[in-house]
Amino acid sequence: MHCKISALGTAVAIFAASIFAQERTDISQWLPDFAKSECGYTDGDDHIEIPYGVEEIPDYAFYEMKGVRTVIIPPTVSKIGKSAFAWMTDLEEAYLPASLIDIGGHAFAYDANLHGVTLPEGLQHIGNNAFSRCESLTDIRVPATVTELESYAFSDCTMMKVASLPANSCLLGELIFSGCERLQRLECLSPVPPEFDCQSFIFEPDDTVRYERCTLIVPRLAVGLYEKAPGWRLFHIITGSDKIPE
């Protein structure tokens, strides 16, 4: 079963999102009517395929929509708005296109069953809490093209075991993996240890268990730099790698 967005539907969503943002109204009560009238969504649909030609997914576009397990985004979309797919607790897979540049804050937050997502090369910005509490994600690779990774981007992804940060020295947000209690391996192949916004850290600074158990993988020639760098030196195990950044 499928649900597609029309151009008119996109315009309606942008207008509605702006109204609700101003009034701080819970738009979850309104969205089902929009989904049925503008998207052709009916109760029980488990698949959303956004049509070719759409360039931006508006803020709160599918916020709290239930029953949807798969989302396919076409290669014309460059931006996903804030909370666009947040609280879709049945969502399991989201197919992100190579055209995507910007993922807004809380875009996929609280999607507890989301386990299939690949961040495309070319992505530049990941907003705050973009994937917070995606409790089924087990691994994530942030491509080197990302130059802005905001605070708490992957916080409380409790099943996350392996993660890779972009191989550049751009400023990192606060506590990106805070609450990722099963993270075992973190790779950062930047030859220069990236700095943290507000002089922050990867985990909470007092989360000694996490810093003891998670292995930090860095360029072999940069191990000494990471061992002395603020934030990074909290890791007990810092291992050198000869891997060439992709």
Side-chain angles (χ1 to χ4, degrees):
M1 288 174 279
H2 296 70
C3 168
K4 296 199 174 188
I5 311 175
S6 64
L8 174 60
T10 301
V12 170
I14 294 173
F15 174 72
S18 66
I19 291 176
F20 285 115
Q22 293 172 9
E23 297 182 354
R24 298 183 181 277
T25 304
D26 181 4
I27 66 173
S28 63
Q29 298 177 4
W30 176 84
L31 271 174
D33 291 336
F34 162 71
K36 292 174 182 177
S37 62
E38 301 298 335
C39 298
Y41 176 85
T42 58
D43 292 338
D45 284 351
D46 60 4
H47 178 87
I48 292 175
E49 184 173 353
I50 298 168
Y52 189 90
V54 172
E55 297 179 355
E56 179 178 333
I57 311 296
D59 297 349
Y60 300 99
F62 299 97
Y63 182 82
E64 280 196 345
M65 188 172 286
K66 307 302 182 186
V68 177
R69 299 185 182 280
T70 306
V71 170
I72 298 178
I73 301 173
T76 54
V77 170
S78 62
K79 180 179 180 180
I80 297 175
K82 64 181 182 181
S83 299
F85 299 98
W87 284 100
M88 293 180 66
T89 53
D90 297 311
L91 184 63
E92 298 176 356
E93 296 181 290
Y95 295 90
L96 307 182
S99 57
L100 188 61
I101 294 174
D102 186 353
I103 298 177
H106 293 84
F108 293 90
Y110 296 93
D111 292 353
N113 286 301
L114 180 64
H115 59 79
V117 62
T118 299
L119 302 179
E121 297 291 340
L123 184 65
Q124 297 176 14
H125 170 256
I126 300 175
N128 63 289
N129 299 90
F131 293 90
S132 288
R133 289 201 175 273
C134 289
E135 296 171 350
S136 295
L137 277 181
T138 58
D139 61 274
I140 198 72
R141 175 184 172 274
V142 182
T145 52
V146 171
T147 55
E148 191 173 8
L149 181 57
E150 292 196 37
S151 301
Y152 302 95
F154 301 98
S155 62
D156 296 304
C157 291
T158 54
M159 295 302 293
M160 182 85 70
K161 294 181 179 180
V162 179
S164 176
L165 290 171
N168 59 51
S169 57
C170 290
L171 187 70
L172 297 176
E174 300 176 65
L175 303 173
I176 295 169
F177 293 103
S178 174
C180 294
E181 58 191 33
R182 290 181 175 82
L183 191 62
Q184 301 171 359
R185 177 185 174 99
L186 175 62
E187 183 179 81
C188 183
L189 295 182
S190 171
V192 177
E195 295 182 3
F196 295 95
D197 192 21
C198 299
Q199 300 181 335
S200 187
F201 311 89
I202 288 288
F203 310 117
E204 296 285 353
D206 59 352
D207 191 353
T208 55
V209 173
R210 207 62 43 232
Y211 286 109
E212 289 174 357
R213 295 182 180 178
C214 181
T215 298
L216 177 62
I217 310 296
V218 303
R220 190 174 302 282
L221 296 178
V223 170
L225 296 177
Y226 279 85
E227 289 177 337
K228 298 176 182 178
W232 300 105
R233 62 190 177 206
L234 294 177
F235 283 87
H236 288 223
I237 305 173
I238 302 179
T239 301
S241 171
D242 295 319
K243 180 179 178 181
I244 298 174
E246 297 179 10

